[in-house]
Amino acid sequence: MNDRNKLLYLLLIFLCLSCTRNLNTDKYQNKRDNITEVGDRISEIEIDDVLIGPVARLYLIDDYLIISDPKSLDKLIHIFNKNTFSYVTSTAYRGQGPGEITRMGHIEANESQRIFYVSDHGKQIIVPYNLDSVLQNPSYMPQLKIKMNKSQFPDKYQYINDTLSIGLIIQAIGNADYKPTVARWNMNTGEITPMKYEHPDVKKKRISFAASMENSIYVECYTYQDLMTICSLDGNLKYNIYGKNWNNRGANQVHYYGKVIFCNNKIFAAYSGESRSREEYYPTQLLVFDINGDYLQTLETGYKISDYCYDKENNRIILNLDDQIQFAYLQLDGL
């Protein structure tokens, strides 16, 4: 075999290996047309006891629904019974003083110790609220848990224990810009270990993320690319899931994915696909995938979704809507 034939032979082997790799990890979904209209299954949650602003965020701990209201002028956190949606109490005073919150960020539950952690990005600290103490005394003042590095810190994270969380880490890169990276984070020491995989074709990354210990994976949903990535918890790529508009990946003018969550062994991802310059960019759809990223169903709510979370015990999605109604839930039984 002469040198030219050897080169062609090696090139053929390389191409075959590349195709095999892509077939194993890349999934192209040009049709996601299994659409179920669920607007008539959306049930309003009427809240009359406390006024809550439109950018509220939803969290769950034990039997309680936590609604954070970063724009509130007084108490920033409101607690409800998640089964009946009856109001329980409010806590977390806005302010610069000890135990007060300056600029509230993510809230994360430590279920085993009945604690929820609150990020304060004004003071760059995380403080723990003991749930039982808050229920007994809404004026409860938390102590410092950890100081965050100003140039590299967790924006959102899933708490596993004090030495391991899987988080979306924000790294400042100058010119008022930043780079988000999924990483392992040690709450005790502040040590950050970035995950291995980064998609090679995305230059400016903006994502939402969720992790599942039960399924041993985490998922990244890209805001301005029609792309979802699934990786193992050690950071190895499992699947790239490309939507039909992946070829528009460089524009950053279309809003694709919003928040992503796990519902048992399913992935739920809010999806828009509309221009960022139009009000319609708010997602109204929830795309449902299995844990391998295979598309199953589209739930069309007919409402603009601002935030949502999964209530496992009641098998329902609790929603914050930027629409005619503010809070609601979607019962998943029968879907």
mmCIF file of all heavy atoms in Angstrom, residues 108-154:
data_model
loop_
_atom_site.group_PDB
_atom_site.id
_atom_site.type_symbol
_atom_site.label_atom_id
_atom_site.label_comp_id
_atom_site.label_asym_id
_atom_site.label_seq_id
_atom_site.Cartn_x
_atom_site.Cartn_y
_atom_site.Cartn_z
ATOM 1 N N GLU A 108 -31.980 27.573 48.292
ATOM 2 C CA GLU A 108 -31.763 26.134 48.137
ATOM 3 C C GLU A 108 -32.101 25.412 49.429
ATOM 4 O O GLU A 108 -31.744 25.864 50.529
ATOM 5 C CB GLU A 108 -30.308 25.852 47.744
ATOM 6 C CG GLU A 108 -29.982 24.390 47.534
ATOM 7 C CD GLU A 108 -30.776 23.749 46.401
ATOM 8 O OE1 GLU A 108 -31.238 24.477 45.496
ATOM 9 O OE2 GLU A 108 -30.928 22.512 46.422
ATOM 10 N N ALA A 109 -32.775 24.279 49.306
ATOM 11 C CA ALA A 109 -33.239 23.528 50.476
ATOM 12 C C ALA A 109 -32.236 22.463 50.895
ATOM 13 O O ALA A 109 -31.705 21.733 50.062
ATOM 14 C CB ALA A 109 -34.581 22.873 50.174
ATOM 15 N N ASN A 110 -31.979 22.398 52.193
ATOM 16 C CA ASN A 110 -31.291 21.283 52.834
ATOM 17 C C ASN A 110 -32.374 20.509 53.581
ATOM 18 O O ASN A 110 -32.700 20.810 54.721
ATOM 19 C CB ASN A 110 -30.213 21.807 53.778
ATOM 20 C CG ASN A 110 -29.517 20.710 54.566
ATOM 21 O OD1 ASN A 110 -29.965 19.566 54.611
ATOM 22 N ND2 ASN A 110 -28.408 21.050 55.205
ATOM 23 N N GLU A 111 -32.963 19.530 52.881
ATOM 24 C CA GLU A 111 -34.142 18.833 53.399
ATOM 25 C C GLU A 111 -33.850 18.094 54.701
ATOM 26 O O GLU A 111 -34.674 18.086 55.619
ATOM 27 C CB GLU A 111 -34.672 17.856 52.342
ATOM 28 C CG GLU A 111 -35.260 18.514 51.116
ATOM 29 C CD GLU A 111 -36.695 18.961 51.316
ATOM 30 O OE1 GLU A 111 -37.236 18.762 52.423
ATOM 31 O OE2 GLU A 111 -37.277 19.512 50.361
ATOM 32 N N SER A 112 -32.696 17.447 54.790
ATOM 33 C CA SER A 112 -32.411 16.596 55.949
ATOM 34 C C SER A 112 -32.332 17.401 57.241
ATOM 35 O O SER A 112 -32.695 16.915 58.316
ATOM 36 C CB SER A 112 -31.117 15.815 55.725
ATOM 37 O OG SER A 112 -30.011 16.695 55.608
ATOM 38 N N GLN A 113 -31.851 18.642 57.154
ATOM 39 C CA GLN A 113 -31.731 19.481 58.348
ATOM 40 C C GLN A 113 -32.811 20.551 58.435
ATOM 41 O O GLN A 113 -32.789 21.383 59.351
ATOM 42 C CB GLN A 113 -30.344 20.136 58.380
ATOM 43 C CG GLN A 113 -29.211 19.133 58.470
ATOM 44 C CD GLN A 113 -27.856 19.814 58.605
ATOM 45 O OE1 GLN A 113 -27.721 20.880 59.195
ATOM 46 N NE2 GLN A 113 -26.835 19.190 58.035
ATOM 47 N N ARG A 114 -33.758 20.540 57.475
ATOM 48 C CA ARG A 114 -34.858 21.506 57.446
ATOM 49 C C ARG A 114 -34.339 22.946 57.488
ATOM 50 O O ARG A 114 -34.768 23.776 58.296
ATOM 51 C CB ARG A 114 -35.847 21.240 58.586
ATOM 52 C CG ARG A 114 -36.599 19.932 58.410
ATOM 53 C CD ARG A 114 -37.443 19.580 59.619
ATOM 54 N NE ARG A 114 -38.500 20.537 59.892
ATOM 55 C CZ ARG A 114 -39.678 20.577 59.273
ATOM 56 N NH1 ARG A 114 -39.931 19.701 58.304
ATOM 57 N NH2 ARG A 114 -40.600 21.461 59.602
ATOM 58 N N ILE A 115 -33.387 23.189 56.590
ATOM 59 C CA ILE A 115 -32.775 24.510 56.446
ATOM 60 C C ILE A 115 -32.916 24.940 54.995
ATOM 61 O O ILE A 115 -32.810 24.106 54.088
ATOM 62 C CB ILE A 115 -31.283 24.475 56.843
ATOM 63 C CG1 ILE A 115 -31.125 24.232 58.347
ATOM 64 C CG2 ILE A 115 -30.565 25.752 56.429
ATOM 65 C CD1 ILE A 115 -29.693 23.981 58.776
ATOM 66 N N PHE A 116 -33.161 26.219 54.763
ATOM 67 C CA PHE A 116 -33.040 26.723 53.399
ATOM 68 C C PHE A 116 -32.001 27.855 53.377
ATOM 69 O O PHE A 116 -31.974 28.717 54.251
ATOM 70 C CB PHE A 116 -34.383 27.159 52.804
ATOM 71 C CG PHE A 116 -35.142 28.204 53.562
ATOM 72 C CD1 PHE A 116 -34.988 29.562 53.253
ATOM 73 C CD2 PHE A 116 -36.049 27.860 54.551
ATOM 74 C CE1 PHE A 116 -35.708 30.533 53.935
ATOM 75 C CE2 PHE A 116 -36.781 28.830 55.234
ATOM 76 C CZ PHE A 116 -36.603 30.168 54.930
ATOM 77 N N TYR A 117 -31.132 27.767 52.374
ATOM 78 C CA TYR A 117 -30.036 28.716 52.232
ATOM 79 C C TYR A 117 -30.444 29.829 51.276
ATOM 80 O O TYR A 117 -31.032 29.575 50.223
ATOM 81 C CB TYR A 117 -28.787 28.020 51.691
ATOM 82 C CG TYR A 117 -28.286 26.889 52.575
ATOM 83 C CD1 TYR A 117 -28.400 25.564 52.166
ATOM 84 C CD2 TYR A 117 -27.707 27.154 53.809
ATOM 85 C CE1 TYR A 117 -27.947 24.526 52.969
ATOM 86 C CE2 TYR A 117 -27.253 26.117 54.618
ATOM 87 C CZ TYR A 117 -27.375 24.809 54.196
ATOM 88 O OH TYR A 117 -26.937 23.790 54.991
ATOM 89 N N VAL A 118 -30.110 31.057 51.631
ATOM 90 C CA VAL A 118 -30.456 32.224 50.828
ATOM 91 C C VAL A 118 -29.172 32.943 50.414
ATOM 92 O O VAL A 118 -28.351 33.301 51.271
ATOM 93 C CB VAL A 118 -31.383 33.184 51.598
ATOM 94 C CG1 VAL A 118 -31.709 34.410 50.746
ATOM 95 C CG2 VAL A 118 -32.663 32.464 52.018
ATOM 96 N N SER A 119 -29.002 33.158 49.118
ATOM 97 C CA SER A 119 -27.846 33.905 48.609
ATOM 98 C C SER A 119 -28.156 35.396 48.630
ATOM 99 O O SER A 119 -29.229 35.823 48.200
ATOM 100 C CB SER A 119 -27.517 33.472 47.179
ATOM 101 O OG SER A 119 -27.131 32.120 47.127
ATOM 102 N N ASP A 120 -27.214 36.161 49.143
ATOM 103 C CA ASP A 120 -27.302 37.621 49.128
ATOM 104 C C ASP A 120 -26.165 38.142 48.264
ATOM 105 O O ASP A 120 -25.000 38.132 48.679
ATOM 106 C CB ASP A 120 -27.196 38.165 50.555
ATOM 107 C CG ASP A 120 -27.356 39.683 50.623
ATOM 108 O OD1 ASP A 120 -27.225 40.348 49.571
ATOM 109 O OD2 ASP A 120 -27.604 40.207 51.723
ATOM 110 N N HIS A 121 -26.490 38.564 47.033
ATOM 111 C CA HIS A 121 -25.453 39.004 46.106
ATOM 112 C C HIS A 121 -25.063 40.463 46.309
ATOM 113 O O HIS A 121 -24.181 40.964 45.611
ATOM 114 C CB HIS A 121 -25.915 38.766 44.666
ATOM 115 C CG HIS A 121 -26.031 37.316 44.324
ATOM 116 N ND1 HIS A 121 -24.943 36.464 44.292
ATOM 117 C CD2 HIS A 121 -27.103 36.543 44.011
ATOM 118 C CE1 HIS A 121 -25.342 35.252 43.971
ATOM 119 N NE2 HIS A 121 -26.639 35.269 43.806
ATOM 120 N N GLY A 122 -25.708 41.136 47.251
ATOM 121 C CA GLY A 122 -25.240 42.457 47.648
ATOM 122 C C GLY A 122 -24.062 42.336 48.598
ATOM 123 O O GLY A 122 -23.027 42.983 48.429
ATOM 124 N N LYS A 123 -24.212 41.472 49.590
ATOM 125 C CA LYS A 123 -23.127 41.229 50.554
ATOM 126 C C LYS A 123 -22.203 40.098 50.111
ATOM 127 O O LYS A 123 -21.178 39.855 50.750
ATOM 128 C CB LYS A 123 -23.727 40.885 51.917
ATOM 129 C CG LYS A 123 -24.595 41.985 52.517
ATOM 130 C CD LYS A 123 -25.211 41.519 53.836
ATOM 131 C CE LYS A 123 -26.111 42.582 54.438
ATOM 132 N NZ LYS A 123 -26.749 42.133 55.693
ATOM 133 N N GLN A 124 -22.594 39.372 49.052
ATOM 134 C CA GLN A 124 -21.859 38.204 48.556
ATOM 135 C C GLN A 124 -21.661 37.158 49.657
ATOM 136 O O GLN A 124 -20.551 36.706 49.928
ATOM 137 C CB GLN A 124 -20.515 38.609 47.943
ATOM 138 C CG GLN A 124 -20.633 39.142 46.520
ATOM 139 C CD GLN A 124 -21.201 38.123 45.535
ATOM 140 O OE1 GLN A 124 -22.410 38.072 45.301
ATOM 141 N NE2 GLN A 124 -20.346 37.307 44.969
ATOM 142 N N ILE A 125 -22.789 36.786 50.281
ATOM 143 C CA ILE A 125 -22.765 35.772 51.320
ATOM 144 C C ILE A 125 -23.965 34.839 51.114
ATOM 145 O O ILE A 125 -24.901 35.146 50.373
ATOM 146 C CB ILE A 125 -22.835 36.377 52.741
ATOM 147 C CG1 ILE A 125 -24.125 37.196 52.910
ATOM 148 C CG2 ILE A 125 -21.599 37.214 53.032
ATOM 149 C CD1 ILE A 125 -24.355 37.709 54.323
ATOM 150 N N ILE A 126 -23.918 33.689 51.786
ATOM 151 C CA ILE A 126 -25.051 32.773 51.874
ATOM 152 C C ILE A 126 -25.388 32.598 53.343
ATOM 153 O O ILE A 126 -24.502 32.364 54.178
ATOM 154 C CB ILE A 126 -24.727 31.419 51.219
ATOM 155 C CG1 ILE A 126 -24.537 31.603 49.707
ATOM 156 C CG2 ILE A 126 -25.830 30.404 51.489
ATOM 157 C CD1 ILE A 126 -24.101 30.338 48.991
ATOM 158 N N VAL A 127 -26.700 32.721 53.663
ATOM 159 C CA VAL A 127 -27.132 32.602 55.054
ATOM 160 C C VAL A 127 -28.156 31.480 55.163
ATOM 161 O O VAL A 127 -28.955 31.252 54.250
ATOM 162 C CB VAL A 127 -27.725 33.922 55.582
ATOM 163 C CG1 VAL A 127 -26.645 34.982 55.671
ATOM 164 C CG2 VAL A 127 -28.868 34.408 54.694
ATOM 165 N N PRO A 128 -28.146 30.739 56.268
ATOM 166 C CA PRO A 128 -29.104 29.639 56.463
ATOM 167 C C PRO A 128 -30.301 30.065 57.307
ATOM 168 O O PRO A 128 -30.151 30.719 58.343
ATOM 169 C CB PRO A 128 -28.254 28.597 57.207
ATOM 170 C CG PRO A 128 -27.307 29.424 58.017
ATOM 171 C CD PRO A 128 -27.075 30.714 57.281
ATOM 172 N N TYR A 129 -31.492 29.681 56.864
ATOM 173 C CA TYR A 129 -32.705 29.893 57.650
ATOM 174 C C TYR A 129 -33.200 28.531 58.132
ATOM 175 O O TYR A 129 -33.489 27.654 57.321
ATOM 176 C CB TYR A 129 -33.790 30.553 56.807
ATOM 177 C CG TYR A 129 -33.590 32.031 56.585
ATOM 178 C CD1 TYR A 129 -32.679 32.484 55.634
ATOM 179 C CD2 TYR A 129 -34.305 32.973 57.315
ATOM 180 C CE1 TYR A 129 -32.497 33.838 55.417
ATOM 181 C CE2 TYR A 129 -34.132 34.331 57.109
ATOM 182 C CZ TYR A 129 -33.224 34.760 56.161
ATOM 183 O OH TYR A 129 -33.033 36.108 55.956
ATOM 184 N N ASN A 130 -33.277 28.372 59.431
ATOM 185 C CA ASN A 130 -33.845 27.156 59.998
ATOM 186 C C ASN A 130 -35.355 27.228 59.865
ATOM 187 O O ASN A 130 -35.997 28.153 60.385
ATOM 188 C CB ASN A 130 -33.433 27.025 61.470
ATOM 189 C CG ASN A 130 -33.945 25.744 62.086
ATOM 190 O OD1 ASN A 130 -35.133 25.625 62.382
ATOM 191 N ND2 ASN A 130 -33.059 24.778 62.280
ATOM 192 N N LEU A 131 -35.942 26.285 59.143
ATOM 193 C CA LEU A 131 -37.364 26.336 58.832
ATOM 194 C C LEU A 131 -38.220 26.373 60.093
ATOM 195 O O LEU A 131 -39.148 27.193 60.211
ATOM 196 C CB LEU A 131 -37.750 25.141 57.963
ATOM 197 C CG LEU A 131 -39.230 25.005 57.606
ATOM 198 C CD1 LEU A 131 -39.725 26.206 56.810
ATOM 199 C CD2 LEU A 131 -39.472 23.702 56.830
ATOM 200 N N ASP A 132 -37.933 25.514 61.059
ATOM 201 C CA ASP A 132 -38.743 25.465 62.279
ATOM 202 C C ASP A 132 -38.638 26.769 63.068
ATOM 203 O O ASP A 132 -39.629 27.240 63.641
ATOM 204 C CB ASP A 132 -38.327 24.276 63.139
ATOM 205 C CG ASP A 132 -38.612 22.948 62.455
ATOM 206 O OD1 ASP A 132 -39.700 22.813 61.868
ATOM 207 O OD2 ASP A 132 -37.746 22.053 62.491
ATOM 208 N N SER A 133 -37.446 27.360 63.054
ATOM 209 C CA SER A 133 -37.268 28.630 63.767
ATOM 210 C C SER A 133 -38.059 29.745 63.097
ATOM 211 O O SER A 133 -38.669 30.581 63.776
ATOM 212 C CB SER A 133 -35.782 29.004 63.813
ATOM 213 O OG SER A 133 -35.043 28.050 64.541
ATOM 214 N N VAL A 134 -38.068 29.742 61.754
ATOM 215 C CA VAL A 134 -38.825 30.757 61.022
ATOM 216 C C VAL A 134 -40.324 30.600 61.278
ATOM 217 O O VAL A 134 -41.043 31.589 61.458
ATOM 218 C CB VAL A 134 -38.523 30.659 59.512
ATOM 219 C CG1 VAL A 134 -39.481 31.530 58.711
ATOM 220 C CG2 VAL A 134 -37.088 31.059 59.229
ATOM 221 N N LEU A 135 -40.807 29.350 61.313
ATOM 222 C CA LEU A 135 -42.233 29.118 61.546
ATOM 223 C C LEU A 135 -42.661 29.583 62.945
ATOM 224 O O LEU A 135 -43.784 30.046 63.145
ATOM 225 C CB LEU A 135 -42.559 27.636 61.365
ATOM 226 C CG LEU A 135 -42.359 27.077 59.953
ATOM 227 C CD1 LEU A 135 -42.641 25.581 59.929
ATOM 228 C CD2 LEU A 135 -43.216 27.810 58.934
ATOM 229 N N GLN A 136 -41.746 29.487 63.898
ATOM 230 C CA GLN A 136 -42.050 29.923 65.264
ATOM 231 C C GLN A 136 -41.846 31.421 65.438
ATOM 232 O O GLN A 136 -42.561 32.071 66.212
ATOM 233 C CB GLN A 136 -41.175 29.158 66.261
ATOM 234 C CG GLN A 136 -41.471 27.670 66.329
ATOM 235 C CD GLN A 136 -40.476 26.922 67.197
ATOM 236 O OE1 GLN A 136 -39.732 27.526 67.969
ATOM 237 N NE2 GLN A 136 -40.450 25.607 67.083
ATOM 238 N N ASN A 137 -40.857 31.965 64.690
ATOM 239 C CA ASN A 137 -40.514 33.372 64.854
ATOM 240 C C ASN A 137 -40.139 33.966 63.498
ATOM 241 O O ASN A 137 -38.987 33.860 63.074
ATOM 242 C CB ASN A 137 -39.337 33.528 65.832
ATOM 243 C CG ASN A 137 -38.868 34.972 65.941
ATOM 244 O OD1 ASN A 137 -39.618 35.901 65.631
ATOM 245 N ND2 ASN A 137 -37.629 35.157 66.363
ATOM 246 N N PRO A 138 -41.075 34.616 62.808
ATOM 247 C CA PRO A 138 -40.786 35.178 61.486
ATOM 248 C C PRO A 138 -39.690 36.245 61.493
ATOM 249 O O PRO A 138 -39.111 36.537 60.450
ATOM 250 C CB PRO A 138 -42.138 35.790 61.073
ATOM 251 C CG PRO A 138 -43.157 35.051 61.876
ATOM 252 C CD PRO A 138 -42.490 34.744 63.185
ATOM 253 N N SER A 139 -39.381 36.804 62.668
ATOM 254 C CA SER A 139 -38.317 37.811 62.771
ATOM 255 C C SER A 139 -36.944 37.177 62.987
ATOM 256 O O SER A 139 -35.967 37.881 63.250
ATOM 257 C CB SER A 139 -38.633 38.777 63.917
ATOM 258 O OG SER A 139 -39.843 39.458 63.669
ATOM 259 N N TYR A 140 -36.889 35.853 62.879
ATOM 260 C CA TYR A 140 -35.637 35.094 63.020
ATOM 261 C C TYR A 140 -34.542 35.688 62.130
ATOM 262 O O TYR A 140 -34.770 35.984 60.956
ATOM 263 C CB TYR A 140 -35.919 33.645 62.633
ATOM 264 C CG TYR A 140 -34.701 32.768 62.444
ATOM 265 C CD1 TYR A 140 -34.103 32.124 63.525
ATOM 266 C CD2 TYR A 140 -34.156 32.564 61.175
ATOM 267 C CE1 TYR A 140 -33.007 31.301 63.348
ATOM 268 C CE2 TYR A 140 -33.057 31.741 60.987
ATOM 269 C CZ TYR A 140 -32.481 31.112 62.071
ATOM 270 O OH TYR A 140 -31.391 30.302 61.887
ATOM 271 N N MET A 141 -33.361 35.874 62.705
ATOM 272 C CA MET A 141 -32.224 36.424 61.958
ATOM 273 C C MET A 141 -31.165 35.344 61.767
ATOM 274 O O MET A 141 -30.683 34.761 62.744
ATOM 275 C CB MET A 141 -31.619 37.606 62.713
ATOM 276 C CG MET A 141 -32.483 38.848 62.675
ATOM 277 S SD MET A 141 -32.591 39.547 61.012
ATOM 278 C CE MET A 141 -33.529 41.037 61.342
ATOM 279 N N PRO A 142 -30.798 35.038 60.523
ATOM 280 C CA PRO A 142 -29.817 33.976 60.271
ATOM 281 C C PRO A 142 -28.391 34.441 60.521
ATOM 282 O O PRO A 142 -28.102 35.638 60.541
ATOM 283 C CB PRO A 142 -30.035 33.684 58.782
ATOM 284 C CG PRO A 142 -30.432 35.018 58.222
ATOM 285 C CD PRO A 142 -31.261 35.682 59.284
ATOM 286 N N GLN A 143 -27.508 33.463 60.697
ATOM 287 C CA GLN A 143 -26.083 33.727 60.815
ATOM 288 C C GLN A 143 -25.391 33.403 59.488
ATOM 289 O O GLN A 143 -25.969 32.775 58.603
ATOM 290 C CB GLN A 143 -25.481 32.888 61.951
ATOM 291 C CG GLN A 143 -26.134 33.117 63.297
ATOM 292 C CD GLN A 143 -26.009 34.550 63.779
ATOM 293 O OE1 GLN A 143 -24.922 35.128 63.747
ATOM 294 N NE2 GLN A 143 -27.111 35.120 64.231
ATOM 295 N N LEU A 144 -24.158 33.818 59.359
ATOM 296 C CA LEU A 144 -23.399 33.592 58.126
ATOM 297 C C LEU A 144 -23.116 32.106 57.927
ATOM 298 O O LEU A 144 -22.712 31.413 58.859
ATOM 299 C CB LEU A 144 -22.077 34.364 58.180
ATOM 300 C CG LEU A 144 -21.115 34.146 57.002
ATOM 301 C CD1 LEU A 144 -21.679 34.759 55.730
ATOM 302 C CD2 LEU A 144 -19.746 34.743 57.320
ATOM 303 N N LYS A 145 -23.333 31.614 56.698
ATOM 304 C CA LYS A 145 -22.937 30.251 56.329
ATOM 305 C C LYS A 145 -21.599 30.270 55.597
ATOM 306 O O LYS A 145 -20.681 29.542 55.937
ATOM 307 C CB LYS A 145 -24.018 29.606 55.456
ATOM 308 C CG LYS A 145 -23.655 28.213 54.930
ATOM 309 C CD LYS A 145 -23.533 27.204 56.043
ATOM 310 C CE LYS A 145 -23.278 25.814 55.503
ATOM 311 N NZ LYS A 145 -23.105 24.815 56.567
ATOM 312 N N ILE A 146 -21.507 31.093 54.545
ATOM 313 C CA ILE A 146 -20.269 31.160 53.775
ATOM 314 C C ILE A 146 -20.207 32.491 53.023
ATOM 315 O O ILE A 146 -21.238 33.046 52.637
ATOM 316 C CB ILE A 146 -20.180 29.987 52.763
ATOM 317 C CG1 ILE A 146 -18.803 29.959 52.086
ATOM 318 C CG2 ILE A 146 -21.290 30.043 51.735
ATOM 319 C CD1 ILE A 146 -18.565 28.731 51.221
ATOM 320 N N LYS A 147 -19.003 33.004 52.856
ATOM 321 C CA LYS A 147 -18.777 34.165 52.005
ATOM 322 C C LYS A 147 -18.495 33.687 50.587
ATOM 323 O O LYS A 147 -17.791 32.691 50.397
ATOM 324 C CB LYS A 147 -17.609 35.001 52.522
ATOM 325 C CG LYS A 147 -17.878 35.701 53.843
ATOM 326 C CD LYS A 147 -16.688 36.574 54.245
ATOM 327 C CE LYS A 147 -16.987 37.316 55.544
ATOM 328 N NZ LYS A 147 -15.829 38.179 55.945
ATOM 329 N N MET A 148 -19.019 34.391 49.605
ATOM 330 C CA MET A 148 -18.793 34.029 48.210
ATOM 331 C C MET A 148 -17.717 34.920 47.595
ATOM 332 O O MET A 148 -17.613 36.112 47.909
ATOM 333 C CB MET A 148 -20.094 34.163 47.399
ATOM 334 C CG MET A 148 -21.165 33.175 47.790
ATOM 335 S SD MET A 148 -22.615 33.240 46.693
ATOM 336 C CE MET A 148 -23.405 34.754 47.268
ATOM 337 N N ASN A 149 -16.931 34.315 46.709
ATOM 338 C CA ASN A 149 -15.928 35.057 45.959
ATOM 339 C C ASN A 149 -16.627 35.990 44.980
ATOM 340 O O ASN A 149 -17.546 35.588 44.268
ATOM 341 C CB ASN A 149 -15.021 34.063 45.212
ATOM 342 C CG ASN A 149 -13.839 34.733 44.555
ATOM 343 O OD1 ASN A 149 -13.995 35.697 43.806
ATOM 344 N ND2 ASN A 149 -12.654 34.231 44.823
ATOM 345 N N LYS A 150 -16.211 37.229 44.908
ATOM 346 C CA LYS A 150 -16.895 38.206 44.053
ATOM 347 C C LYS A 150 -16.673 37.955 42.573
ATOM 348 O O LYS A 150 -17.485 38.366 41.746
ATOM 349 C CB LYS A 150 -16.442 39.619 44.413
ATOM 350 C CG LYS A 150 -16.912 40.074 45.779
ATOM 351 C CD LYS A 150 -16.510 41.513 46.057
ATOM 352 C CE LYS A 150 -17.045 41.959 47.423
ATOM 353 N NZ LYS A 150 -16.678 43.365 47.723
ATOM 354 N N SER A 151 -15.593 37.294 42.212
ATOM 355 C CA SER A 151 -15.295 37.084 40.795
ATOM 356 C C SER A 151 -15.721 35.709 40.303
ATOM 357 O O SER A 151 -15.768 35.467 39.093
ATOM 358 C CB SER A 151 -13.797 37.266 40.528
ATOM 359 O OG SER A 151 -13.041 36.324 41.265
ATOM 360 N N GLN A 152 -16.048 34.787 41.214
ATOM 361 C CA GLN A 152 -16.465 33.440 40.834
ATOM 362 C C GLN A 152 -17.334 32.871 41.962
ATOM 363 O O GLN A 152 -16.846 32.590 43.048
ATOM 364 C CB GLN A 152 -15.249 32.542 40.587
ATOM 365 C CG GLN A 152 -15.586 31.219 39.926
ATOM 366 C CD GLN A 152 -14.346 30.387 39.656
ATOM 367 O OE1 GLN A 152 -13.405 30.385 40.441
ATOM 368 N NE2 GLN A 152 -14.339 29.671 38.549
ATOM 369 N N PHE A 153 -18.632 32.697 41.676
ATOM 370 C CA PHE A 153 -19.554 32.349 42.747
ATOM 371 C C PHE A 153 -20.739 31.556 42.180
ATOM 372 O O PHE A 153 -21.043 31.635 40.983
ATOM 373 C CB PHE A 153 -20.069 33.613 43.439
ATOM 374 C CG PHE A 153 -20.729 34.586 42.512
ATOM 375 C CD1 PHE A 153 -22.086 34.503 42.227
ATOM 376 C CD2 PHE A 153 -19.993 35.595 41.905
ATOM 377 C CE1 PHE A 153 -22.695 35.394 41.366
ATOM 378 C CE2 PHE A 153 -20.599 36.497 41.034
ATOM 379 C CZ PHE A 153 -21.950 36.385 40.758
ATOM 380 N N PRO A 154 -21.427 30.793 43.039
ATOM 381 C CA PRO A 154 -22.598 30.030 42.569
ATOM 382 C C PRO A 154 -23.806 30.944 42.388
ATOM 383 O O PRO A 154 -24.172 31.690 43.292
ATOM 384 C CB PRO A 154 -22.821 29.011 43.693
ATOM 385 C CG PRO A 154 -22.261 29.677 44.903
ATOM 386 C CD PRO A 154 -21.094 30.499 44.442
#
